[in-house]
């Protein structure tokens, strides 16, 4: 379940409930004084009748001019009623059908309540007083249209503010949560954008206090993983390095055997096969060493020097001549003076892998062309062959580790991954396209412009 949804639930539901309770309280707090004010004006009207109640011939009567009665009954919204009664309930003046009056406990006090008259809800004020020794009851009543309108207005105002808040509160909380969770999102982005071998620490500086321990724990883990990866890499480099010397001796011995047993076809064939296997092992050992050396981030850029790419290419191709001859492959050169800033050993690994591939994947009697030149942007290295080529869909994937297309050739699928790592460590880009006349493949490495000084 999403933390955001959880927090939203924990915050929004109680907040909306509190807000609703607040709205109910606000409704009553607004309505009670409004009702009090309206009751008071009705009571004032009832009290205004008292001076007009007089005694004539020991009888109590209400002397009210017609205009005065009209003034009393005029109301813009409601119908107004009044009645003057004695304690026995006899009507002295006013509306005869006025409902029976509730009698206030004390004299000269008014009692507000709600009743029914002529089939309608009415608000009534009843008061008890004494006029010329006679106890009289006066009732003033009015329909409740005005009151209903006021209540409705209070309700509507609160409803609108409630709807507004019900939308605004979750929205504000959502925005606040998003802002609050942004350090986690940043961390996720940082981790997602990394290359698989980037184990550098996550930034802690701007992280909030709550997230810092979490980042520190991840960084500790990253350091441990990095240490163990480095230990494995050192081990790999060591083993590969240790293997190369005995293998070279082994190959030399086999070549000696080959030279001395040319006449015996069985032995010659067997030694040939052993030499192929020894070559394969040497290749694997070289690749392992290159893999261990080319780990991104581990290359010491300050130790890079200005190198002559054409010389490195010439040296490299030299060691493949024998193999090319066996397959009757025509190796062509176009080596123009080209300077790049780099690591000699890594660049040799890069060149060896690409040239080795071109020869291995080319058919018998094929052509491989190795060229380099200086262009405006920097040094360019090109190795072209007329082999099977790389299908469009695989042109990126062949640079992934262990990705192989042609399983009929021996190989590990590591060569081009190493080549790509080395190219990136040199700030270079590598790409593959179809060779001349849309046949075979052409591997192109573009180096950045080197600083201006003489190559070594
Ligand atoms: P490996 O050669 O050990 O299989 P690489 O990483 O060097 O591994 O190459 C990956 C795959 O790319 C190879 O398996 C092969 O199918 C394809 N490939 C590489 N170079 C060439 C080439 N010059 N021509 C055709 N296919 C190639």
């Amino acid at each position: 379940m999403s933390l955001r949804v959880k927090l939203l639930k924990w915050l929004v539901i109680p907040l909306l409930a509190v807000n609703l309770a607040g709205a109910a309280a606000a409704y009553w707090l607004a309505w009670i004084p409004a009702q009090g004010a309206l009751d008071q004006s009705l009571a004032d009207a009832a009290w205004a009748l008292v001076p007009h109640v007089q005694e004539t011939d020991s009888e109590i009567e209400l002397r009210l001019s017609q205009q005065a009665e009209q003034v009393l009954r005029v109301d813009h919204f409601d119908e107004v009623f009044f009645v003057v009664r004695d304690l026995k309930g006899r009507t002295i003046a006013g509306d005869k059908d006025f409902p029976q009056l509730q009698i206030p406990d004390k004299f000269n006090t008014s009692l507000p309540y709600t009743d029914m008259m002529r089939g309608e809800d009415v608000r009534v004020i009843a008061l008890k007083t004494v006029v010329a020794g006679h106890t009289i009851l006066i009732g003033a009543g009015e329909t409740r249209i005005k009151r209903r309108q006021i209540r409705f207005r209070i309700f509507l105002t609160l409803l609108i503010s409630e709807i507004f808040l019900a939308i605004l509160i979750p929205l504000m909380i959502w925005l606040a949560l998003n802002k609050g969770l942004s350090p986690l999102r940043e961390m996720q982005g940082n981790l997602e954008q990394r290359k698989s071998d980037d184990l550098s620490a996550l930034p802690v500086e701007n992280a909030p206090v709550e997230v810092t321990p979490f980042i520190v724990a991840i960084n500790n883990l990253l350091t441990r993983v990095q240490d163990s990866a480095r230990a494995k890499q050192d081990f790999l480099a060591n083993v590969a390095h240790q293997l190369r010397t005995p293998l070279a001796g082994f190959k030399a011995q086999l070549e000696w055997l080959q030279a001395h047993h040319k006449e015996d076809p069985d032995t010659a064939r067997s030694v040939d096969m052993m030499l192929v296997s020894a070559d394969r092992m040497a290749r694997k050992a070289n690749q392992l060493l290159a893999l261990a050396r080319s780990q991104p981030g581990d290359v010491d850029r300050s130790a890079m020097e200005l190198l002559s790419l054409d010389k490195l290419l010439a040296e490299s191709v030299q060691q493949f001549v024998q193999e090319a001859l066996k397959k009757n492959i025509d190796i062509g050169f176009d080596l123009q003076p080209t300077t790049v800033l780099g690591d000699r050993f890594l660049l040799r690994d890069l060149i060896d892998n690409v040239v080795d591939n071109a020869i291995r994947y080319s058919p018998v009697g094929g052509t491989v062309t190795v060229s380099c030149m200086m262009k405006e942007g920097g040094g360019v290295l090109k190795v072209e062959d007329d082999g099977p080529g790389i299908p469009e869909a695989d042109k990126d994937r062949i640079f992934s580790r262990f990705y192989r297309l042609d399983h009929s050739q021996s190989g590990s699928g590591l060569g081009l991954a190493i080549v790509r790592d080395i190219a990136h460590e040199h700030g270079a880009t590598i790409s593959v396209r179809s060779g001349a006349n849309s046949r075979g493949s052409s591997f192109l490495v573009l180096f950045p412009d080197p600083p201006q000084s003489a190559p070594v």
Side-chain angles (χ1 to χ4, degrees), residues 74 76 139 159 172 225 244 342 381 385 394 413 415 419-420 422:
V74 164
H76 190 66
L159 184 74
M172 298 290 284
V225 173
R244 282 190 341 160
L381 156 66
D385 63 59
D394 291 309
V419 166
R420 184 197 52 189
I422 296 175

Side-chain angles (χ1 to χ4, degrees), residues 283 357-358 360-361 385 388-390 398 403-406 411-417 441 443:
R283 204 175 148 265
N357 277 351
R360 270 190 310 129
Y361 293 108
D385 63 59
I390 316 272
I398 49 163
Y403 194 80
R404 305 198 65 220
L405 298 173
D406 182 355
S412 57
L414 281 174
L416 288 179
S441 40
F443 284 83

